[in-house]
Amino acid sequence: MKSALITGITGQDGPYLARLLLDKGYKVYGLVARRSTPNNWRLKFLGIENKVELIEGDLTDLASIIRAIKKSNPAEVYNLGAQSFVATSWEQPILTAQSTGVGVLNVLEAIRLTDLSIRFYQALTSEMFGLIQESIQSEKTPFYPRSPYGVSKLFGHWMTINYRESFSMFACSGILFNHESPIRGIEFVTRKVTDAVARIKLGKQNELRLGNIDAKRDWGFAGDYVEAMWLMLQQSEPDDYVVATGRTATVRDMCQIAFEHVSLNYEEYLVIDEKFYRPTEVEVLLGNPAKAKEKLGWVPKTSLEELIKSMVDADLARVKKE
Ligand code: NAP
Ligand code: GDD
């Protein structure tokens, strides 16, 4: 039986990827950082909390990653762990650089020191395009990161390429555009909105405070995007791929979809609060997933409308139970 090790298994993407790999017959291990309170609600949401084996370790602690690799003996390592909230990366830039940037190098080193035949997936991001240099971003678009998070990911990107070229490692970078789901962290804008819509509809909240609602994002569904991660590691050669939908929408558009789903008008509840503006903003992202389609046969299956409605429905169910 093939084994896989996933870092960041308690985050949004980890459980979707774990479920996909379990369905394909893998034995799935997850690296989990020690927290004072267990953080496995997302694994529970997908019904797989008893199907994965968790190993304690931290991306900033090389020895713990080496131990996790020795214990799990994986054919594939998916490095999804990171401090991934862009706004926090200005509050904690050094921690972000250590986990989101140097953490990638730690995993690459751990593989180099244990078993160079392990296939490696690195979770990279459209944030690296930042101040966009082309109106539609592909694998060939120059990078211009705009946050400590984006800069840290770019370090991880070049390290992944360097280890691939230096040591012939099967190392792939997935340059993923924003992807969301009912188990998205509450601080990210889609989930903040869908949670607020549920609370407003059920009379538990009366306004929604947001920052820059003119920002545009290319939003897809996390469950679709983890398939692209797996496909990258099944190819004959390692490579880098943009994963996106090819459609962009404003935060305002997304709010409209969410409120309309419960027959409310977002304009009656939205308050602009400068507190949520960022020191430097990524104004627009729009990805070109042509290479992923051609080489991996990957296409997104879920529309923005379906995605946001499913998130509102999940939040309505959650808030009703509180
Ligand atoms: P997420 O929900 O923020 O999850 C991040 C995971 O990393 C959590 O399990 C977290 O553990 C773990 N983690 C953080 N610091 C760690 C450390 N020092 N050692 C070990 N684990 C640590 O992120 P996501 O949305 O699932 O995204 C997965 C990956 O894709 C991230 O690398 C993110 O940067 C990248 N990405 C995401 C998107 C997107 O739109 N979702 C787009 C492009 C790229 P705790 O829960 O215990 O803190
Ligand atoms: N979070 C948040 N909260 N964002 C807001 C708010 C608010 O109240 N108001 C407006 N926004 C705008 C942000 O300024 C940004 O332009 C946009 O909504 C999306 O913000 P987030 O949902 O926080 O995501 P992100 O695009 O900054 O980063 C996400 O996607 C990246 C891929 O492009 C994260 O998942 C990153 O980890 C990921 O790499």
Side-chain angles (χ1 to χ4, degrees):
M1 185 193 276
K2 240 186 186 180
S3 292
L5 175 65
I6 302 174
T7 75
I9 198 162
T10 56
Q12 172 190 245
D13 292 2
Y16 282 108
L17 178 62
R19 187 177 66 178
L20 179 88
L21 297 179
L22 288 167
D23 288 347
K24 291 187 184 296
Y26 284 69
K27 165 88 182 150
V28 177
Y29 295 85
L31 184 86
V32 183
R34 195 264 164 186
R35 303 285 185 251
S36 66
T37 309
N39 180 19
N40 58 359
W41 68 273
R42 295 182 169 103
L43 291 164
K44 276 192 184 146
F45 186 90
L46 295 191
I48 57 169
E49 77 275 21
N50 298 321
K51 298 185 178 155
V52 297
E53 191 164 325
L54 304 180
I55 305 175
E56 204 176 299
D58 195 290
L59 286 169
T60 60
D61 179 351
L62 173 63
S64 71
I65 305 169
I66 293 174
R67 269 203 303 279
I69 289 180
K70 285 189 172 165
K71 185 164 183 195
S72 55
N73 190 25
E76 297 166 7
V77 171
Y78 295 85
N79 186 32
L80 311 186
Q83 189 304 96
S84 80
F85 188 44
V86 172
T88 290
S89 77
W90 282 283
E91 303 304 323
Q92 300 182 47
I94 296 167
L95 176 129
T96 302
Q98 284 166 344
S99 61
T100 307
V102 177
V104 182
L105 179 54
N106 283 336
V107 180
L108 288 165
E109 265 300 275
I111 292 173
R112 180 181 169 205
L113 291 167
T114 52
D115 179 0
L116 269 174
S117 73
I118 293 171
R119 294 190 169 206
F120 174 72
Y121 171 83
Q122 175 53 36
L124 292 168
T125 167
S126 47
E127 269 289 306
M128 298 188 307
F129 296 121
L131 187 62
I132 54 168
Q133 303 293 297
E134 289 178 328
S135 55
I136 304 178
Q137 301 90 54
S138 74
E139 297 78 4
K140 294 191 164 59
T141 303
F143 298 114
Y144 194 138
R146 293 271 275 175
S147 62
Y149 168 78
V151 173
S152 304
K153 284 285 187 185
L154 199 49
F155 172 83
H157 182 43
W158 282 111
M159 275 298 169
T160 302
I161 292 171
N162 184 260
Y163 271 56
R164 181 164 76 210
E165 294 176 354
S166 303
F167 307 115
S168 304
M169 264 178 70
F170 195 105
C172 297
S173 286
I175 305 174
L176 272 56
F177 282 62
N178 299 50
H179 46 279
E180 320 293 313
S181 72
I183 54 171
R184 182 60 143 152
I186 195 85
E187 67 271 50
F188 299 93
V189 75
T190 51
R191 182 75 206 295
K192 181 174 171 181
V193 169
T194 61
D195 175 70
V197 165
R199 285 174 193 285
I200 290 168
K201 185 69 184 172
L202 296 171
K204 295 190 173 185
Q205 187 171 320
N206 49 28
E207 63 176 27
L208 166 61
R209 304 184 85 86
L210 292 179
N212 177 15
I213 59 168
D214 295 317
K216 292 175 116 181
R217 289 293 182 274
D218 179 330
W219 279 294
F221 171 49
D224 292 346
Y225 284 34
V226 297
E227 287 178 19
M229 299 177 188
W230 176 78
L231 283 166
M232 284 179 216
L233 295 199
Q234 314 312 311
Q235 304 306 302
S236 53
E237 297 297 329
D239 207 344
D240 307 322
Y241 298 88
V242 158
V243 178
T245 69
R247 167 186 172 188
T248 194
T250 60
V251 172
R252 185 195 302 271
D253 296 332
M254 183 268 295
C255 285
Q256 192 171 354
I257 295 168
F259 279 85
E260 273 181 4
H261 184 50
V262 294
S263 309
L264 294 175
N265 178 359
Y266 78 95
E267 287 169 315
E268 290 172 26
Y269 303 96
L270 195 58
V271 178
I272 300 301
D273 187 337
E274 294 209 345
K275 188 169 87 186
F276 298 108
Y277 278 83
R278 294 172 178 183
T280 44
E281 176 64 289
V282 172
E283 293 293 348
V284 50
L285 290 172
L286 172 57
N288 175 1
K291 180 175 169 184
K293 184 176 181 191
E294 187 199 324
K295 300 240 163 107
L296 306 177
W298 179 88
V299 283
K301 298 181 192 126
T302 313
S303 72
L304 179 60
E305 287 74 12
E306 289 167 332
L307 170 67
I308 297 301
K309 287 176 187 175
S310 75
M311 292 174 66
V312 171
D313 290 341
D315 277 319
L316 280 168
R318 256 189 291 246
V319 175
K320 273 183 196 156
K321 277 198 212 145
E322 277 177 2

